[in-house]
Amino acid sequence: MTKGRELRLASRMERLGTETAFEVLVKAKALEAAGRDIVHLEIAAVDALHKGFTHYGPSAGLMELREVIAQHVSETRRVNVTPDEVVVVPGGKPIIFFSILALAEQGDEVIYPNPGFPIYESMINYVGAKAMPIRLREELDFRLDIDELVALINDRTKLIILNSPQNPTGGVLEKIDIDRIAQSIGDRNIMVLSDEIYSRLIFEGEHHSIMSIDGMKERTILLDGFSKTYAMTGWRMGYGVMRPDLATHISRLMTNSSSCTASFSQIAGIEALRGPQKSVDAMRAEFKKRRDVMVAGLNKIKGFSCRLPHGAFYVFPNIRATGWPSKKLADALLDDAGVAALSGTAFGDFGEGYLRFSVANSIENIEKALDRVAAWTDKNL
Ligand SMILES: Cc1ncc(COP(=O)(O)O)c(C=O)c1O
């Protein structure tokens, strides 16, 4: 019998955070099961799984896929990448988990965007390193202030995390930002984890990777994957590109955890990268339309003001003028209006005053959500 026995967790578990999107998804599903009609704007849709390879493969991924990825990254980032620099993992997330686990420890500082993908801060804290948030500023279209970055870099800085296009703000770093970030790092032996999972979802401008900058390849871990570009979130397919010696260590973490990425998902990944890319362009055009509808609609709602995000599929309206704290407003919108959005604070302390809406949903549902939020604010503000 386990009843009454204390669960004796390791103390490090207190430092592990979460990703609220998954909790809101569970709550929204529960409300739906209870007969409520919920509009899902919190998480991207998951495509159906289909059959294929069903046995173990190499921890770093199938060679054929690593070759295709090496070629893709060489072309898109204008660097020469070889398959031994590629590690295939189940989704983009394990590259965050493994890179931080492999590189950061007590006494090290890790700089990361805030508001930002919550797993960065969670993992930095989990490994006992010091979390050094860099604020993304609305007035800079949610890019970072380079002078603030320079002020944060010191001898204890081990890793800098960049994310462009960005979750949750939709901010996109420009060429000048990337150049200046590289200059701020200079000759220092600091690694950069460049989370480029939304690299193909840019509506204005181009994607720029710090990996492309002379002298930065050896110090960059590029994270990309299939979840966002090909709506393959449920296939669990992502990869990291990094110097081969680090790739060996990250593969060892794979051997110690999942053994390998599901082989049939990898075959699907090869098809996705090699196949026609028309669907990627079509989805980008579609997300742009949805973004425009969402931003225009939010800007008409009392207390909301929303900048036009240049990438990814999120919008991040400022809701300070409502007078409501973000979390309370997100809860009220789900409970009273049947709209699942996330509080900006789910992405860090600097997310207070904002909500995040995903536009990975139909225009029809986006309009329905906007009507509901507007009706709610009319009644309650
Ligand atoms: C910035 C960012 N990085 C990484 C991930 C993880 O992607 P995956 O679902 O492939 O693990 C996400 C997913 O939301 C994300 O927004």
Side-chain angles (χ1 to χ4, degrees):
M1 254 186 39
T2 54
K3 203 172 147 221
R5 289 220 177 105
E6 182 196 359
L7 175 64
R8 296 189 299 158
L9 282 180
S11 58
R12 74 176 76 87
M13 290 307 289
E14 284 166 27
R15 302 195 298 267
L16 191 65
T18 188
E19 187 183 352
T20 315
F22 285 87
E23 286 160 15
V24 173
L25 181 67
V26 169
K27 187 170 170 194
K29 292 260 183 226
L31 286 170
E32 259 173 341
R36 291 278 303 278
D37 171 27
I38 302 293
V39 184
H40 286 277
L41 296 177
E42 79 285 33
I43 203 158
V46 176
D47 268 2
L49 203 66
H50 71 206
K51 286 192 191 139
F53 283 39
T54 53
H55 301 285
Y56 289 136
S59 292
L62 298 173
M63 187 43 94
E64 193 183 349
L65 175 58
R66 290 161 70 201
E67 280 167 2
V68 174
I69 291 169
Q71 192 187 342
H72 171 73
V73 175
S74 298
E75 284 165 15
T76 51
R77 274 68 171 199
R78 296 177 303 279
V79 285
N80 182 29
V81 172
T82 51
D84 61 337
E85 295 172 308
V86 177
V87 185
V88 178
V89 291
K93 249 183 194 170
I95 290 296
I96 302 171
F97 195 100
F98 294 153
S99 301
I100 295 174
L101 207 53
L103 295 174
E105 59 194 331
Q106 229 170 357
D108 292 336
E109 295 184 2
V110 182
I111 300 173
Y112 65 103
N114 186 328
F117 192 50
I119 302 309
Y120 309 141
E121 189 177 278
S122 164
M123 279 305 298
I124 298 164
N125 289 331
Y126 188 59
V127 300
K130 189 161 177 208
M132 305 290 285
I134 172 120
R135 188 176 199 139
L136 299 186
R137 299 200 166 268
E138 183 180 354
E139 62 276 20
L140 297 175
D141 279 334
F142 295 109
R143 288 147 55 225
L144 48 84
D145 180 319
I146 302 290
D147 294 332
E148 288 176 0
L149 177 68
V150 169
L152 285 175
I153 295 175
N154 64 53
D155 292 346
R156 292 178 300 279
T157 309
K158 190 75 169 281
L159 181 67
I160 298 175
I161 302 176
L162 302 177
N163 174 213
S164 176
Q166 213 250 349
N167 178 6
T169 65
V172 173
L173 293 174
E174 295 175 4
K175 175 83 170 74
I176 181 138
D177 300 317
I178 299 283
D179 286 343
R180 292 184 64 202
I181 292 167
Q183 277 164 19
S184 319
I185 295 169
D187 275 343
R188 290 185 179 86
N189 193 2
I190 295 173
M191 293 295 288
V192 177
L193 172 59
S194 184
D195 185 339
E196 303 180 19
I197 197 125
Y198 298 101
S199 59
R200 295 177 71 189
L201 279 170
I202 295 200
F203 311 121
E204 286 90 20
E206 271 177 59
H207 177 64
H208 299 285
S209 173
I210 196 160
M211 189 172 249
S212 314
I213 296 201
D214 261 0
M216 283 309 298
K217 190 187 158 208
E218 189 200 21
R219 286 174 288 167
T220 303
I221 303 161
L222 181 147
L223 179 165
D224 206 337
F226 298 76
S227 299
K228 316 294 174 177
T229 308
Y230 302 104
M232 285 172 68
T233 54
W235 294 81
R236 308 313 299 136
M237 277 288 294
Y239 57 86
V241 178
M242 65 204 81
R243 48 192 281 175
D245 51 357
L246 179 58
T248 305
H249 292 296
I250 301 295
S251 300
R252 218 150 46 87
L253 284 166
M254 268 299 282
T255 308
N256 276 268
S257 52
S258 309
S259 295
C260 64
T261 305
S263 302
F264 52 85
S265 287
Q266 295 190 59
I267 298 294
I270 295 170
E271 290 305 311
L273 272 178
R274 276 206 186 131
Q277 302 295 303
K278 262 209 233 131
S279 65
V280 178
D281 297 332
M283 271 322 288
R284 185 190 309 111
E286 181 59 32
F287 280 130
K288 187 174 181 202
K289 259 193 246 162
R290 296 174 185 176
R291 170 203 70 169
D292 291 343
V293 170
M294 190 65 160
V295 170
L298 286 173
N299 278 322
K300 287 191 198 127
I301 293 175
K302 198 167 157 190
F304 283 59
S305 76
C306 188
R307 284 184 175 244
L308 200 65
H310 297 304
F313 43 62
Y314 307 106
V315 302
F316 203 62
N318 184 322
I319 52 89
R320 285 208 181 91
T322 63
W324 281 56
S326 298
K327 173 77 170 74
K328 205 170 152 218
L329 184 58
D331 287 346
L333 290 178
L334 179 56
D335 291 332
D336 304 342
V339 176
L342 292 177
S343 165
T345 52
F347 301 91
D349 292 345
F350 297 140
E352 182 54 79
Y354 300 90
L355 291 183
R356 190 199 76 168
F357 291 89
S358 164
V359 294
N361 211 315
S362 65
I363 298 238
E364 191 193 344
N365 278 339
I366 287 170
E367 282 172 343
K368 191 155 130 190
L370 285 166
D371 288 346
R372 289 181 180 188
V373 176
W376 185 91
T377 53
D378 285 347
K379 193 168 142 216
N380 294 283
L381 297 186

